[in-house]
């Protein structure tokens, strides 16, 4: 297969909220020219630092329902009253163009993508400890204490799911974690593109 006809791989980066998924993927995108991020749709309101079309596509519930009914999502979920969906056709188009694609998803979403696309590579980002995760959520400053408590309660179950993932990356120092993530996303010689069944 020539480089131009090679279908890209699909990576799903997941792990508990606040573990550093967004931060690590932003760094990986800077270092890997063949890597593109497929942007998730959500009905939740943007945080101050988030930009539409870059962090998420922020849409109304009505628009989300329409996209869902039209079969536009690889997987979708409702989390605490907000909807999230991974764009099936963006992923396909980017991969057919020869790019590797990364989706940043919660743990349930990642496992759902694996069911649709068994060759997707699931990457679990692990915190050094639950205490450190709490600290990062606090320092991020985007959630009130009750939301942080809810995220931490969910993190325990999420961390138990790490065994279903293809790779684990400990996010201790940013530098170590970026190197590990980039290392496993670097292209092997020759292609190993995969197919989704969705
Ligand atoms: P997620 O996307 O998993 O919810 P974020 O990327 O928003 O997590 O990171 C959560 C917070 O933790 C952010 O404030 C980020 O700057 C910080 N963070 C990420 N990685 C590290 C690290 N290795 N050491 C310390 N803080 C980190």
């Amino acid at each position: 297969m020539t480089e131009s006809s090679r279908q890209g791989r699909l990576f799903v980066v997941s792990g508990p909220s606040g573990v550093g998924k967004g931060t690590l993927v932003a760094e990986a995108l800077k270092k890997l020219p063949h890597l593109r991020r497929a942007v998730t749709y959500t009905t939740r309101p943007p945080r101050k630092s988030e930009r539409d079309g870059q962090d998420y596509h922020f849409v109304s519930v009505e628009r989300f329902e329409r996209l869902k009914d039209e079969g536009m999502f690889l997987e979708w979920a409702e989390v605490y009253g907000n909807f999230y969906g991974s764009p099936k056709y963006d992923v396909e188009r980017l991969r057919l163009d020869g790019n590797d694609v990364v989706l940043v998803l919660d743990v349930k979403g990642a496992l759902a993508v694996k069911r649709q696309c068994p060759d997707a590579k699931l990457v679990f980002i692990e915190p050094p400890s639950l205490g450190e995760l709490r600290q990062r959520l606090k320092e991020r400053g985007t959630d009130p204490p009750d939301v942080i408590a809810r995220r931490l309660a969910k993190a325990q179950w999420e961390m138990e799911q790490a065994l279903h993932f293809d790779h684990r990356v400990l996010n201790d120092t940013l530098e170590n974690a970026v190197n590990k993530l980039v290392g496993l996303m670097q292209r092997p010689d020759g292609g190993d593109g995969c197919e989704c069944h969705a």
Side-chain angles (χ1 to χ4, degrees):
M1 206 184 242
T2 63
E3 185 64 16
S4 60
S5 66
R6 174 190 178 279
Q7 181 172 313
R9 295 168 299 165
L10 174 59
F11 294 100
V12 183
V13 172
S14 188
S17 179
V19 76
K21 302 180 290 293
T23 308
L24 293 174
V25 166
E27 292 302 315
L29 286 165
K30 287 185 208 159
K31 290 178 192 279
L32 296 171
H34 291 290
L35 185 68
R36 298 281 185 279
R37 179 168 176 185
V39 179
T40 300
Y41 286 77
T42 185
T43 60
R44 84 153 164 72
R47 295 175 185 145
K48 274 199 193 87
S49 63
E50 288 176 332
R51 286 205 281 157
D52 188 31
Q54 192 164 314
D55 298 288
Y56 287 93
H57 294 293
F58 295 99
V59 296
S60 65
V61 173
E62 294 70 29
R63 170 113 195 271
F64 190 96
E65 294 283 352
R66 217 166 42 238
L67 291 168
K68 173 163 75 68
D69 293 346
E70 289 166 358
M72 300 299 272
F73 297 132
L74 199 51
E75 59 78 44
W76 68 272
E78 184 179 355
V79 184
Y80 304 132
N82 296 308
F83 293 102
Y84 296 83
S86 310
K88 182 159 84 176
Y89 296 108
D90 288 357
V91 170
E92 284 178 4
R93 181 178 45 78
L94 287 165
R95 293 180 63 205
L96 285 171
D97 286 346
N99 301 292
D100 289 338
V101 179
V102 60
L103 279 166
V104 180
L105 295 180
D106 76 348
V107 171
K108 274 192 188 156
L111 296 174
V113 168
K114 187 76 171 178
R115 286 193 289 274
Q116 300 284 350
C117 184
D119 292 333
K121 303 289 181 218
L122 300 197
V123 184
F124 193 92
I125 312 293
E126 293 178 309
S129 65
L130 283 173
E132 175 64 23
L133 186 64
R134 177 183 295 112
Q135 195 57 31
R136 287 184 192 173
L137 283 166
K138 269 192 191 164
E139 282 171 10
R140 187 169 71 181
T142 54
D143 301 316
D146 61 315
V147 174
I148 291 183
R150 216 162 54 182
R151 293 195 190 286
L152 288 168
K154 197 169 152 192
Q156 307 209 354
W157 174 85
E158 289 174 321
M159 286 172 54
E160 288 162 19
Q161 308 310 307
L163 78 166
H164 300 299
F165 282 61
D166 300 295
H167 305 278
R168 297 183 191 197
V169 172
L170 175 67
N171 187 12
D172 45 5
T173 70
L174 204 53
E175 190 187 0
N176 282 348
V178 170
N179 286 341
K180 176 112 194 259
L181 182 64
V182 167
L184 67 87
M185 286 176 158
Q186 244 145 13
R187 292 189 159 193
D189 290 337
D192 74 337
C194 58
E195 299 287 340
C196 289
H197 304 316

